[in-house]
Each structure stands twice: as structure tokens, then as C-alpha cells.
Amino acid sequence: MVKYTNEQRLQILEIYYRNSESVAATLRVLIPIFGRNSRPSRQAVTSLVKKFESTNSFCDAAVPVRLWVGQCVENIAAVETSLANDPNQSIPRRSQELGIAKTTLWRILRKDLTLHLYKIRFTQELKPMDKSK
């Protein structure tokens, strides 16, 4: 279905109610406005009217933003301390130990802690050696 602007939706609804709530009459009146091939379909007009009558609005509803529950501050801190305690631990084992999904653990490592596999191993190799021996 083609997206219509709010002005076009308002115009369609005005024509629909002006023509005594007849979809066929509305479609006939819309031909000179939109053109024969680009006018709204019967289904588009009826769904627009149903939406308007049920919500009293012809605007699109706001889509809720999905929250990343796994990437919360507590999980990021837990991963950071786990990484400091044992940098050699594998990601599947670490995710099982922390109770976090593997993909979430990867996301935390890459996006929040800006660490990649080679960086984790490289920082591990650069640790100072114990010279007491």
C-alpha cells in the first residue's frame, strides 16, 4: 500500500463522509485528484475509515522502540569483572557462568567494552611478568 500524507488522508476521509459513507462514490471522486492508476484502493479507503472510527485519528501510531534488556549496566559490569578475573575463559563458558546469552555477551564485548577477540588476547599477552623468580 502506498503511504499517504496526513493531508491526503484527511482529504480522503472528508470525501468519504461527504459522499454519505459510500466507498464507491469516494473512489469515483478521487480519480481526478489522484489519477486513475494512483488513486487509493477500496481496501485502503475502508482501512483508513476503520482506523479513524476506532482511534479518532488518521495518523500513524508510534512504533515502540525495542529495548536491549541484556545490555544493561549490571551485565556490562559483570562481564567486565569476569574478563578481568579470567581473560582466557571462552565466550560460551563465560556466558553460561554469567547467565547471559552468547550473542548478548558478544554485543557487550564488542559494542560496550570495545573489545574484539584479538584485543582480548593482545592485552593478555602485554601483562607485566612477575620478576620475583
Side-chain angles (χ1 to χ4, degrees):
M1 185 175 114
V2 178
K3 285 280 202 180
Y4 297 106
T5 63
N6 288 339
E7 292 81 21
Q8 291 172 332
R9 292 176 188 183
L10 179 63
Q11 189 176 23
I12 292 168
L13 286 171
E14 286 175 350
I15 292 170
Y16 175 78
Y17 287 112
R18 206 178 312 136
N19 287 310
S20 64
E21 301 180 8
S22 170
V23 177
T26 303
L27 292 175
R28 277 192 299 272
V29 173
L30 289 176
I31 289 173
I33 299 168
F34 287 95
R36 182 173 291 289
N37 295 327
S38 61
R39 68 174 169 81
S41 64
R42 177 180 295 275
Q43 182 182 4
V45 172
T46 55
S47 66
L48 181 63
V49 169
K50 283 181 186 176
K51 179 180 179 180
F52 178 72
E53 289 175 349
S54 64
T55 63
N56 291 330
S57 173
F58 54 83
C59 299
D60 287 332
V63 178
V65 177
R66 181 172 178 221
L67 298 175
W68 291 98
V69 180
Q71 286 181 268
C72 62
V73 178
E74 295 86 17
N75 285 347
I76 294 170
V79 170
E80 200 168 15
T81 56
S82 171
L83 190 63
N85 292 341
D86 187 13
N88 287 333
Q89 192 175 32
S90 68
I91 289 180
R93 181 64 52 102
R94 192 180 311 272
S95 73
Q96 187 179 29
E97 191 177 274
L98 295 173
I100 301 172
K102 283 186 253 182
T103 54
T104 304
L105 184 61
W106 270 109
R107 253 185 227 117
I108 289 172
L109 285 172
R110 281 183 283 155
K111 293 188 178 180
D112 297 323
L113 301 178
T114 60
L115 293 173
H116 297 279
L117 184 61
Y118 64 90
K119 286 186 180 178
I120 295 171
R121 295 210 177 154
F122 185 69
T123 55
Q124 176 190 354
E125 292 171 2
L126 289 179
K127 285 185 180 177
M129 296 300 236
D130 190 15
K131 294 185 179 182
S132 63
K133 292 182 182 179

